[in-house]
Amino acid sequence: MLAVAVLLASVVPASAATGLALPRPSGPHRVGQTELHLVDVSRTDPWRGGPRELMVSLHYPALLGPGRDAVPLPGRWPVVVYSPGLDEPRTWCTATAEDLASRGYVVVSIDHTWESPEVEFPDGSVRTMVDPGEPDAFLRTALRRAGRPRR
């Protein structure tokens, strides 16, 4: 086992990991990004009660950028909502969101609190996924709470 570790260390230098980067967006626009903490006090959180809270990322065509809070490019842009839920974080499709924004779309990516592996809020608090227990029961409960009919 030690021989395998030594061989791998000599084949793939540690510096290779630091050179990894997301692909550059392919569209003509610069890309801005911001994060929003949304709180809906009129809706009860379906998993834990209290007000419904979400973290959302916005990627959009920008005048100045790229980067956080860049000035949005004026105009009307189509909106794409990326809403993974059920054990997938909003960050998994960052490269796709950036590419779409560079092509003239506003991309809204949502972390569903208690359904994403972890959601960090601006105050530093972290909410982790509710243990689904038996997966079919978890999905039935999630669909019922979303207002869909039971089957």
Side-chain angles (χ1 to χ4, degrees):
M1 187 66 141
L2 179 59
V4 172
V6 170
L7 177 63
L8 287 175
S10 66
V11 173
V12 181
S15 62
T18 61
L20 296 176
L22 292 176
R24 290 176 113 19
S26 63
H29 304 294
R30 294 181 181 197
V31 177
Q33 180 210 344
T34 194
E35 293 181 355
L36 303 173
H37 176 206
L38 304 178
V39 180
D40 185 349
V41 295
S42 68
R43 292 182 58 208
T44 303
D45 183 278
W47 299 109
R48 298 288 173 105
R52 181 80 165 124
E53 289 185 86
L54 300 172
M55 286 302 298
V56 174
S57 294
L58 295 176
H59 290 87
Y60 51 88
L63 284 173
L64 303 174
R68 298 179 63 71
D69 302 320
V71 176
L73 190 62
R76 295 174 56 100
W77 306 101
V79 175
V80 175
V81 177
Y82 174 59
S83 177
L86 293 177
D87 198 26
E88 291 186 19
R90 73 185 192 272
T91 54
W92 277 11
C93 284
T94 298
T96 301
E98 289 179 353
D99 192 64
L100 286 168
S102 79
R103 294 168 181 242
Y105 292 86
V106 173
V107 182
V108 180
S109 303
I110 305 167
D111 261 341
H112 296 277
T113 310
W114 310 114
E115 291 180 34
S116 292
E118 65 278 327
V119 180
E120 183 175 0
F121 290 93
D123 66 1
S125 63
V126 176
R127 315 288 196 293
T128 57
M129 184 176 173
V130 171
D131 180 11
E134 195 268 303
D136 288 341
F138 178 75
L139 290 173
R140 281 193 299 276
T141 300
L143 292 173
R144 186 178 72 247
R145 289 182 175 168
R148 296 186 179 136
R150 291 185 204 183
R151 293 189 181 222

